[in-house]
Amino acid sequence: MTPAAMKPAGRGDLVRLAGVVAAAAVAGLLFAPVFDAAYSLPVMVPVAVVCLTTYLCSTAAVAWPRLRGWEVAMSAIAGLVGVVETTLRGSTAGGLPTVTTLRALYHGIRDSWLLTLQSTAPARPDPALVAFVPLLVLAAAILGAQVLTRTEARLPALAPSLVVAGLAQAYHPMAGGLAALAAAGYALAVALVLGSPSGSPSGSPSGSAVSGVARIALVAVPVIAVAAFAAGAADPAGRPAYSLRAATPPPAAPVAVTNPLDEIAARLEHPDRVLFVDHTGADVDRWPLVVLDRFDGVNWTSSAQYRRLGSRLPADPAVRVPTRPQEATVTVAGLSGPWLPGQARLVSTTGVHPLVDEVSGTLLCERVAPGLRYGLHWTAPDLRGRPLGSAQIELHPAGDTRSLGGVPPAVIDLATVAVHGLRPSFEAALLLEQYLRQHYRLAAGEHLPTGHGWPQIVHFLDGGGGPGGSGSIGGTSEQFATAYVVLARSLGIPARLVVGFGQPSRPEPDGSYAVRNGDALAWPEVAVAGVGWVPLDPRGTTRGPGNAAAGSALAAATLQARQQLPPPEQIGPQRLPASRPPGPRPLGSAGQWPVVLGASALAGLLGWLLGIPLVKATRHRMRRRRSGRAGVLAAWLEARDRLRDHGVAVGRGMTVRDVGHAARPLRPSRPAVHALHRLAGLVDASLWSGEAVGPAAADDAWQSAGTVRRDLARRSVVARVSGALSTRSLRAPR
């Protein structure tokens, strides 16, 4: 194409187009926290590339008329190539797309958004999950650019980016300083779209455009930043923000053939088979496999909700004591799955992408085969100098700690005797553990007892050395742990059942630990305020596997509390600590009224800023649908109301020519004056000629009204904003 054939675009057009594309880019960057701020590069790079290619293709079409009509195809192809080269490059052959690349693109459009929602937050920044973000931004940038270049409608051109921003917030709501920064960035992009005057020719001074952008940014950035800060406190009830992740069903978890609790006795009868090997320098005393917190009287099941494990799990909010990072490497040998050995307070894994229950940290993997090797990272409570003996229990822990399926009265009586009437506390939990240790024996040898329903639990408790018991019946950790949980729950102590393996007391020659069938173990855990779930051992730590229990800081603190436990006869009934069930503060409390008033004022301000332009836009759309004589009159009313919003005094009986004279202080341009004169003639002809008014007359009237509108759009930013928010035209002329 020769230079003579080129049609340069006005600077205002390029600035507005840059603002629309920048708004889409900012909206796309709001997805970065979805994949963790530390991994924002996989989001930033493809978003920047697709927005840059869209801007270049759109400006080329504006500058060269011969390319118009091809900008959508050019932008789409260039943007898809950018997504492939930045996000899906691993599926290419030397940078060239392959069939695998096309499948990855299809997968990104169809599945990646759902996989991200089904992951824990923040999600892994894998291409299979990130791909939908640049594709979504590409669609928003192309659509916004097309709306702007074809209709010159500025606010509608921003609608696609607003949709992307809304989706990003639905994926991961932002608050605080990060929300204010994002709002300021979007406000600057909006200022580029609304701040530059229409039709500024190439080569004309751009000072007015820059001034308009600066003025809008000066007003919009602080307002939107303050609104972003206030958004977190806008709900006086303290409810969490809406999240698509919470509304998305979790992925289907692998189905287990048997309950690990049913396998304990069989494993203990074949104790030498190696199940997995762990390498760790951490103080590990046990390896949890699954948490069972629901009991219907027959079966123990889990309330776990599994999601795909993201880049890391957030810290357990129930743990308010200092923690230390720990890590280990596990190699599977004889486990069949689908559960994987894990650790409480899990942070992340490497080498495997399992499903995880965020509450318990239980890991599920679809394929568990010998040789599977993965890394674990978790945190352990650091309880040095923090005694557990006087700790209070957590009244409302996560999970199901109430279901029992109908407690036999004899069990309640036995539990009361075991703790000597002590109210629910960690001290009472230790007393119950001590009672089971002293009055019941651990079964050994062949033909070990099995079962964990009410018949087996009652049989175990009746056959022990307690009140009325014979002391002749023993049990494995299966009976000890299940009996402890039902006794604790009947006393109001939150407890749950965990099945896993004890860590061997001695390492192998290479320093690793080989966990065998003989290390199979079930144990109870109680919820302690500020510490989280604390494992107990009603069997006695000196019997069977798990002799390394005193090695972990939490187990050492529990052992110290157990040793400092006073004799039962010296423990009197305790009063329950005064507590208030968790929940929002009442709206009438003094601390809530400033938030309520501030939120109301903010809602009123935003309603005024957004509601008035929305009403006017709706009125314009309804008028524009009219045809014939009604269409001519609607065009006249539209021009009159726009002039009224800009301060022109219009009376009830004024004609079009009268309004034109009244508009002289605005210094309308020559085209605007001619447009008003032409509009006056069309109105007179439609009202008094007596002839039929065709569609052409209405189109001419709306063209004249459009000329008036474009002339008003060249006024200063303050005048335009004042006109957009004016309510004069919403009232009938006097």
Side-chain angles (χ1 to χ4, degrees):
M1 180 176 294
T2 62
M6 296 171 57
K7 181 181 179 180
R11 291 185 180 179
D13 297 331
L14 299 181
V15 169
R16 288 193 296 276
L17 184 59
V20 169
V21 176
V26 172
L29 293 180
L30 297 182
F31 279 97
V34 176
F35 302 95
D36 196 348
Y39 297 96
S40 58
L41 196 62
V43 176
M44 294 175 60
V45 173
V47 165
V49 169
V50 299
C51 288
L52 180 61
T53 56
T54 301
Y55 178 73
L56 294 177
C57 293
S58 299
T59 53
V62 172
W64 286 283
R66 293 182 181 178
L67 295 180
R68 292 181 182 176
W70 294 93
E71 62 269 25
V72 174
M74 292 190 302
S75 300
I77 294 174
L80 290 176
V81 171
V83 173
V84 169
E85 296 300 325
T86 56
T87 303
L88 305 175
R89 188 172 179 81
S91 64
T92 63
L96 298 178
T98 62
V99 175
T100 305
T101 305
L102 298 179
R103 291 176 180 172
L105 278 175
Y106 175 73
H107 174 80
I109 297 172
R110 190 191 68 173
D111 297 330
S112 63
W113 62 274
L114 180 60
L115 295 178
T116 302
L117 287 176
Q118 291 178 340
S119 298
T120 61
R124 294 179 183 270
D126 297 336
L129 275 67
V130 176
F132 81 98
V133 177
L135 293 173
L136 189 62
V137 173
L138 176 63
I142 293 176
L143 183 58
Q146 287 299 299
V147 171
L148 181 67
T149 56
R150 293 181 181 273
T151 67
E152 297 185 2
R154 305 188 187 189
L155 287 177
L158 294 170
S161 63
L162 283 175
V163 172
V164 175
L167 285 174
Q169 294 306 289
Y171 267 72
H172 184 84
M174 299 173 63
L178 191 59
L181 181 63
Y186 193 83
L188 289 174
V190 173
L192 292 176
V193 179
L194 303 181
S196 57
S198 301
S200 58
S202 178
S204 64
S206 60
S208 60
V210 176
S211 176
V213 171
R215 291 177 182 177
I216 285 185
L218 188 63
V219 176
V221 170
V223 170
I224 297 182
V226 171
F229 269 118
D235 185 4
R239 292 168 297 187
Y242 174 78
S243 173
L244 279 175
R245 179 178 283 105
T248 302
V255 179
V257 178
T258 59
N259 189 329
L261 189 60
D262 297 326
E263 299 177 331
I264 291 181
R267 290 188 184 281
L268 294 178
E269 291 179 354
H270 303 84
D272 296 329
R273 182 185 180 189
V274 177
L275 300 178
F276 62 92
V277 177
D278 65 89
H279 295 77
T280 180
D283 297 327
V284 175
D285 61 315
R286 62 193 74 205
W287 292 94
L289 198 64
V290 62
V291 173
L292 305 173
D293 54 3
R294 287 179 176 171
F295 181 51
D296 59 5
V298 178
N299 297 311
W300 291 84
T301 56
S302 175
S303 64
Q305 295 290 326
Y306 294 100
R307 291 189 174 275
R308 305 178 197 278
L309 180 57
S311 60
R312 58 182 174 82
L313 290 178
D316 187 352
V319 179
R320 297 184 291 275
V321 298
T323 59
R324 293 181 297 170
Q326 307 281 2
E327 62 181 19
T329 302
V330 178
T331 303
V332 175
L335 279 178
S336 57
W339 291 280
L340 289 177
Q343 285 294 328
R345 294 166 291 276
L346 182 71
V347 175
S348 63
T349 63
T350 56
V352 64
H353 295 169
L355 300 180
V356 65
D357 174 45
E358 296 179 80
V359 174
S360 64
T362 303
L363 298 176
L364 277 179
C365 189
E366 186 175 356
R367 296 180 180 178
V368 178
L372 176 64
R373 184 182 179 92
Y374 61 95
L376 289 172
H377 303 269
W378 72 95
T379 59
D382 187 359
L383 297 177
R384 288 173 294 184
R386 298 173 183 267
L388 275 179
S390 58
Q392 299 295 326
I393 62 172
E394 186 71 53
L395 296 178
H396 303 280
D400 185 356
T401 58
R402 296 181 181 271
S403 59
L404 282 176
V407 185
V411 173
I412 300 178
D413 295 338
L414 178 61
T416 305
V417 170
V419 300
H420 295 265
L422 197 65
R423 293 185 179 274
S425 63
F426 187 61
E427 207 168 37
L430 292 177
L431 271 179
L432 182 59
E433 179 195 52
Q434 183 185 76
Y435 183 87
L436 290 177
R437 287 184 174 192
Q438 293 176 350
H439 294 87
Y440 296 86
R441 68 181 183 88
L442 186 66
E446 298 180 354
H447 307 293
L448 296 173
T450 60
H452 42 257
W454 274 125
Q456 292 81 11
I457 292 175
V458 172
H459 181 66
F460 169 71
L461 293 176
D462 286 344
S470 63
S472 60
I473 298 178
T476 66
S477 63
E478 177 183 358
Q479 286 76 43
F480 273 90
T482 54
Y484 182 94
V485 172
V486 298
L487 289 170
R489 289 187 180 183
S490 67
L491 293 170
I493 299 174
R496 67 184 188 182
L497 178 66
V498 184
V499 182
F501 305 93
Q503 178 81 323
S505 57
R506 295 181 180 179
E508 300 296 315
D510 61 353
S512 64
Y513 291 87
V515 180
R516 296 174 167 84
N517 268 339
D519 299 313
L521 184 64
W523 66 89
E525 292 183 346
V526 296
V528 177
V531 180
W533 291 99
V534 176
L536 298 178
D537 186 6
R539 308 166 308 130
T541 56
T542 59
R543 293 174 290 180
N547 293 335
S552 69
L554 183 57
T558 306
L559 178 60
Q560 181 182 10
R562 189 180 294 123
Q563 293 171 346
Q564 296 175 350
L565 193 65
E569 59 272 11
Q570 297 182 9
I571 301 178
Q574 294 178 335
R575 298 176 58 189
L576 285 175
S579 62
R580 177 183 298 175
R585 296 172 60 185
L587 294 181
S589 60
Q592 290 288 352
W593 282 115
V595 177
V596 174
L597 294 177
S600 301
L602 178 63
L605 176 62
L606 293 178
W608 179 57
L609 293 175
L610 301 177
I612 293 176
L614 180 61
V615 170
K616 293 180 181 179
T618 304
R619 182 185 63 187
H620 171 78
R621 188 176 296 107
M622 295 177 64
R623 286 174 173 174
R624 194 65 179 86
R625 293 176 179 177
R626 301 175 187 175
S627 60
R629 180 179 290 103
V632 173
L633 295 179
W636 148 238
L637 293 177
E638 185 69 21
R640 182 200 67 180
D641 288 341
R642 288 186 177 272
L643 291 171
R644 289 179 64 200
D645 286 336
H646 282 261
V648 177
V650 178
R652 183 184 299 272
M654 294 179 65
T655 64
V656 182
R657 293 178 178 84
D658 295 335
V659 173
H661 287 293
R664 287 180 178 178
L666 298 182
R667 298 181 181 179
S669 63
R670 187 181 300 274
V673 173
H674 289 318
L676 284 173
H677 282 296
R678 180 168 180 78
L679 186 57
L682 292 170
V683 171
D684 290 341
S686 63
L687 290 177
W688 314 112
S689 66
E691 298 180 358
V693 179
D699 292 340
D700 289 345
W702 277 107
Q703 288 181 4
S704 300
T707 303
V708 175
R709 175 183 61 81
R710 288 189 291 273
D711 186 70
L712 294 175
R714 294 189 177 94
R715 301 191 70 206
S716 66
V717 175
V718 175
R720 298 205 307 272
V721 173
S722 177
L725 300 178
S726 174
T727 59
R728 296 187 189 94
S729 65
L730 301 180
R731 301 186 299 267
R734 296 180 179 178

